[in-house]
Amino acid sequence: HGPGPEANRADTQPGIGPPKTSGAPVSIGETRCPDPMHTLLLRMVDDWLLISRHKSVVEQFAVRTIEGIPGFNIVVNPLKTQTTVPLEYPHLGLSIQPDLVTEADGTRFIKWCGLLIDVQ
């Protein structure tokens, strides 16, 4: 006899399946996400999209990626960085302004990987 059908379920294998959160802040390095249930990080090849209800999370993510994360070989070109809110980093000599597509009806979108994502 081999293992039962439950042995093939992804959520019973360590590190696989939906994340289990306690509502406590999630961290990567020293960056903490105050509300992980309202923040989403997507990656498609070398393009990243961070969606968060918290401006502080966006600011921390932008600084960490623009400064680079050598352990993960991550370096971001600030000239290709898009945002929905102005981000100012005097210590980096950097200012990133929103780059949105606005429709005639006022609906605003950000571009990512050929998609227009409604920012409302």
Side-chain angles (χ1 to χ4, degrees):
H1 269 297
E6 66 280 348
N8 294 324
R9 291 187 42 205
D11 61 352
T12 62
Q13 298 177 27
I16 299 176
K20 296 176 176 48
T21 61
S22 63
V26 174
S27 67
I28 300 174
E30 294 180 22
T31 302
R32 296 203 180 276
C33 179
D35 187 3
M37 296 305 294
H38 292 110
T39 299
L40 175 68
L41 178 61
L42 302 174
R43 179 177 178 204
M44 183 178 288
V45 185
D46 63 350
D47 292 321
W48 297 79
L49 176 66
L50 177 73
I51 299 171
S52 181
R53 291 185 176 182
H54 305 281
K55 185 177 178 184
S56 64
V57 171
V58 174
E59 291 170 336
Q60 291 173 12
F61 181 79
V63 166
R64 298 229 353 132
T65 55
I66 289 168
E67 289 179 343
I69 305 173
F72 293 97
N73 198 27
I74 294 174
V75 179
V76 171
N77 181 347
L79 299 176
K80 293 183 176 182
T81 299
Q82 298 181 49
T83 179
T84 59
V85 295
L87 300 175
E88 303 290 335
Y89 303 102
H91 68 287
L92 298 173
L94 184 61
S95 173
I96 301 172
Q97 298 304 312
D99 183 18
L100 302 172
V101 174
T102 304
E103 294 290 316
D105 66 358
T107 305
R108 299 179 318 145
F109 299 90
I110 194 162
K111 295 179 279 186
W112 184 67
C113 293
L115 301 172
L116 289 177
I117 299 170
D118 188 334
V119 299
Q120 299 304 322

